[in-house]
Amino acid sequence: MSPVNYKSWPFKEAFKLQKRYKEPPTDPVRFETGFGPSGLPHIGTFAEVARTTWVRQAFEFQTRLETELIAFSDDMDGLRKVPLNMPQQKMLQENIGKPLCRIPDPFGECESYSAYMNQKLKQFLDNYGFDYTFQSSQEAYTRGDFNSGLAIILQKVEAIKAIILPTMSKEKRRGWSPFFPVCEKCGRINSTRVTGYHVDNNTIDYVCDQEDGLLQCCRHHGTTSIFDGNVKVGWKVDWALRWFAYDIGYEMYGKDLIDSARLSGKITRTMGKQPPTGLFYELFLDEEGRKISKSVGKGLTIDSWTSYAPLGSLLYYLFQNPKQAKRLYWGIVPKSVDDYLMGLKQYPTMEKEKQPDLSIWHIFGKGEQIPAYTSSINFSLINNLISAIGADDRELITEYLKRYDPDLGACQDIVMDLVDKAMAYYRDFVLPQKHYRTPNDTEKEMLGQLHDALTGYDGTDENELQTLPFSVARAADVQPKELFKMFYEVVFGQERGPRFGTFVQLVGKEKALSLLEKAARTQSS
């Protein structure tokens, strides 16, 4: 396998993975992403699959080896708390402690809670064109995928305890076991406690006696096989079990799981295999800088982003430095779209051998079918235009844009998609918040002076147009930022807007004069 020559982070990760194999493997190199089906798939799920896919693509490109991405759903996990955004809260509370695959679907559409979530995950990944193999924990345990690994865990239970127990509080160490039997009587998994191990016949003794808040127990005593779905192992052991059973070569994880990954790696080595190569990524934050919680549903969602901006812009945003925390709220979207459009514009100007280091190459699947974009129109400009003319008429917006850039050519489809998404955002969020302020007499006079200054200007240079309001502000002895703020509030009905020069170029001198004249003549109510 040839050495890596590229510097982008997916190629660096691919090179780390490449060094894992002294000889080319005979089986596909497996990548894994994990999904906790206690809640709906969210932007963190999307980001992990997308980023793992980029590393996978870089690895394939560099090595020409066959790969597989396993999207693993931990649906044998017990329900620990009820997500606040789920229906049938009482029913779910009554099922606390049961495996997610054995709890009724609160939406009434599938055979279980996790079946509904798994269906949503697959639809979610399919909608965005990801290539993956879905694997549920329930199927894996029941089918016996983990049986050989479970037998090793039973044989090495004391060695695994020696890894895990020092990381736990004294209270939690007492009675801890890597195994969580499913109670034969009440069906709960979080309420059981192992009381004996039998390596000779691969069984364990247990009692269902753990209670905590809403978690109930039935006091049943039993003995059960560790095979075929009768037990599950705890989280860090379970992660190691997957790595062991499926020979996972690569998996990335959030910063909050660094310690878990380290412990799972130790357990994998204890079981006799090498843990996967991996990368930890930073978490997503809301507008206030707090971690986004899928159970509460805060932060910008995939659907909201792709409803009001192109998917490519989200991928472009997610690609940048995965080790840097990213805030997800509307304020970052327009710039992200503009950065994405600039990336499209610059891509064909790069030397072909350097293109694999560009974000665009990765997000379009190894540089395939990248749309051409040569227009000077960006998303911020479109949003400003819609706000400036106060209309969401597609034909009217297009007319103004063609005046700004007469030759859209091959870019027209992209621009029209941007227009549609910007208009949708304008209708849903901007228009309801618009509040046109009535100017006072002094402000009316400044607007009149700006009208006169624009009337007397015969050029078309955007920078020269931009100087006009500054001249008016100086003459009136006010700060330019105060004049602009007043201009936006009176003319656009909002606190911010486009540069004055850009505004005039977009709508044309005649329309700009009309808006200024109307604003200057506004009567107090």
Side-chain angles (χ1 to χ4, degrees):
M1 291 183 281
S2 61
V4 168
N5 298 316
Y6 301 109
K7 305 300 181 184
S8 59
W9 70 262
F11 276 109
K12 290 180 180 178
E13 289 301 298
F15 184 45
K16 282 165 50 180
L17 176 58
Q18 191 174 326
K19 291 193 295 184
R20 176 187 179 93
Y21 301 100
K22 305 302 181 185
E23 298 292 335
T26 55
D27 293 327
V29 175
R30 292 194 178 95
F31 294 70
E32 183 183 49
T33 62
F35 171 60
S38 60
L40 292 164
H42 57 108
I43 202 160
T45 311
F46 179 89
E48 185 171 311
V49 176
R51 287 166 172 165
T52 304
T53 296
W54 294 327
V55 176
R56 180 188 180 189
Q57 289 173 168
F59 182 79
E60 289 175 341
F61 182 79
Q62 194 68 31
T63 66
R64 304 297 189 261
L65 291 173
E66 186 180 352
T67 68
E68 179 184 19
L69 171 59
I70 296 175
F72 193 95
S73 171
D74 191 9
D75 56 1
M76 273 284 285
D77 196 24
L79 182 66
R80 291 170 173 76
K81 63 179 182 178
V82 179
L84 300 177
N85 54 358
M86 288 291 134
Q88 297 202 50
Q89 295 273 307
K90 186 173 185 299
M91 179 276 287
L92 293 175
Q93 289 174 3
E94 292 170 351
N95 282 279
I96 289 287
K98 291 184 180 179
L100 296 168
C101 58
R102 301 191 183 189
I103 298 173
D105 173 15
F107 297 93
E109 297 181 16
C110 298
E111 65 269 22
S112 70
Y113 183 110
S114 64
Y116 176 87
M117 297 299 176
N118 289 341
Q119 173 184 276
K120 291 297 181 184
L121 173 67
K122 288 183 279 188
Q123 290 174 353
F124 181 79
L125 298 180
D126 291 343
N127 285 343
Y128 297 109
F130 289 115
D131 175 33
Y132 68 97
T133 300
F134 175 78
Q135 180 58 64
S136 85
S137 179
Q138 177 196 20
E139 291 173 349
Y141 272 98
T142 304
R143 192 171 54 220
D145 292 8
F146 296 152
N147 284 355
S148 62
L150 290 167
I152 293 173
I153 291 170
L154 182 58
Q155 294 163 13
K156 300 193 174 185
V157 67
E158 293 304 322
I160 291 171
K161 282 185 176 182
I163 294 171
I164 297 294
L165 292 182
T167 69
M168 304 174 69
S169 65
K170 289 183 179 180
E171 295 75 19
K172 292 183 178 180
R173 290 179 195 174
R174 190 177 301 111
W176 182 87
S177 169
F179 294 100
F180 287 80
V182 180
C183 180
E184 298 161 288
K185 185 176 179 181
C186 71
R188 288 184 172 82
I189 194 169
N190 293 357
S191 58
T192 57
R193 176 172 57 88
V194 175
T195 56
Y197 301 95
H198 307 288
V199 177
D200 55 335
N201 62 1
N202 292 304
T203 62
I204 53 177
D205 301 326
Y206 72 92
V207 59
C208 180
D209 66 352
Q210 302 299 295
E211 289 187 333
D212 183 17
L214 294 173
L215 175 64
Q216 302 297 308
C217 65
C218 69
R219 306 294 174 182
H220 175 71
H221 291 254
T223 299
T224 187
S225 166
I226 62 170
F227 295 151
D228 305 330
N230 292 300
V231 307
K232 181 187 186 301
V233 289
W235 152 236
K236 298 177 183 71
V237 186
D238 191 87
W239 208 4
L241 181 61
R242 291 182 225 164
W243 294 346
F244 177 90
Y246 296 129
D247 288 317
I248 301 300
Y250 187 90
E251 181 161 0
M252 57 176 59
Y253 43 87
K255 183 180 179 180
D256 54 340
L257 296 181
I258 291 176
D259 289 341
S260 295
R262 179 176 55 82
L263 293 173
S264 295
K266 287 184 177 181
I267 294 168
T268 306
R269 292 187 184 93
T270 299
M271 294 174 69
K273 286 190 179 181
Q274 182 183 359
T277 301
L279 167 75
F280 77 85
Y281 53 83
E282 267 287 1
L283 305 178
F284 291 103
L285 310 174
D286 62 18
E287 189 169 2
E288 285 76 40
R290 294 173 296 199
K291 178 185 173 183
I292 289 176
S293 167
K294 65 180 179 181
S295 63
V296 177
K298 292 198 69 176
L300 197 63
T301 66
I302 294 277
D303 287 343
S304 58
W305 188 303
T306 55
S307 293
Y308 305 116
L311 173 62
S313 64
L314 173 58
L315 293 169
Y316 195 90
Y317 181 67
L318 295 177
F319 185 88
Q320 314 307 317
N321 194 358
K323 287 194 172 185
Q324 179 179 342
K326 287 179 169 55
R327 296 195 180 193
L328 288 167
Y329 62 101
W330 176 255
I332 58 97
V333 175
K335 183 180 184 304
S336 300
V337 179
D338 291 345
D339 289 343
Y340 163 65
L341 295 175
M342 183 59 68
L344 287 178
K345 200 170 182 178
Q346 292 176 342
Y347 184 82
T349 68
M350 291 290 290
E351 298 173 33
K352 191 171 182 61
E353 61 271 17
K354 294 182 179 179
Q355 288 176 341
D357 259 342
L358 301 177
S359 307
I360 294 296
W361 185 91
H362 292 275
I363 69 177
F364 279 96
K366 294 182 279 190
E368 298 176 1
Q369 298 180 333
I370 297 175
Y373 196 76
T374 57
S375 176
S376 57
I377 293 170
N378 62 24
F379 198 48
S380 297
L381 184 144
I382 294 172
N383 280 294
N384 286 333
L385 173 61
I386 294 172
S387 287
I389 65 175
D392 59 355
D393 184 315
R394 193 174 194 259
E395 291 186 7
L396 181 61
I397 299 298
T398 305
E399 179 185 330
Y400 280 115
L401 290 175
K402 285 185 175 178
R403 180 187 301 166
Y404 188 82
D405 185 355
D407 186 22
L408 292 180
C411 309
Q412 182 149 337
D413 288 346
I414 296 177
V415 172
M416 290 302 98
D417 181 57
L418 293 173
V419 168
D420 290 339
K421 292 183 183 302
M423 288 193 304
Y425 185 80
Y426 177 81
R427 286 191 297 267
D428 293 347
F429 295 99
V430 178
L431 193 58
Q433 300 299 321
K434 273 188 175 286
H435 175 69
Y436 292 90
R437 182 167 71 78
T438 301
N440 58 37
D441 290 341
T442 301
E443 291 168 340
K444 287 181 183 180
E445 186 175 344
M446 284 192 292
L447 290 169
Q449 291 169 354
L450 186 55
H451 177 279
D452 293 343
L454 180 57
T455 301
Y457 177 72
D458 293 328
T460 58
D461 184 87
E462 183 176 331
N463 291 327
E464 290 180 0
L465 286 166
Q466 184 66 20
T467 65
L468 300 181
F470 283 90
S471 298
V472 171
R474 279 196 301 272
D477 197 25
V478 300
Q479 290 293 323
K481 64 180 181 180
E482 296 300 324
L483 185 146
F484 283 118
K485 183 173 183 294
M486 176 272 294
F487 173 74
Y488 297 141
E489 292 173 346
V490 173
V491 178
F492 298 151
Q494 57 198 47
E495 292 185 356
R496 295 178 181 85
R499 296 175 79 247
F500 181 78
T502 305
F503 158 67
V504 175
Q505 282 203 332
L506 275 172
V507 303
K509 183 175 178 179
E510 184 178 337
K511 177 68 174 178
L513 287 171
S514 174
L515 290 170
L516 284 167
E517 184 175 0
K518 180 182 176 182
R521 292 179 177 177
T522 302
Q523 297 297 314
S524 301
S525 55

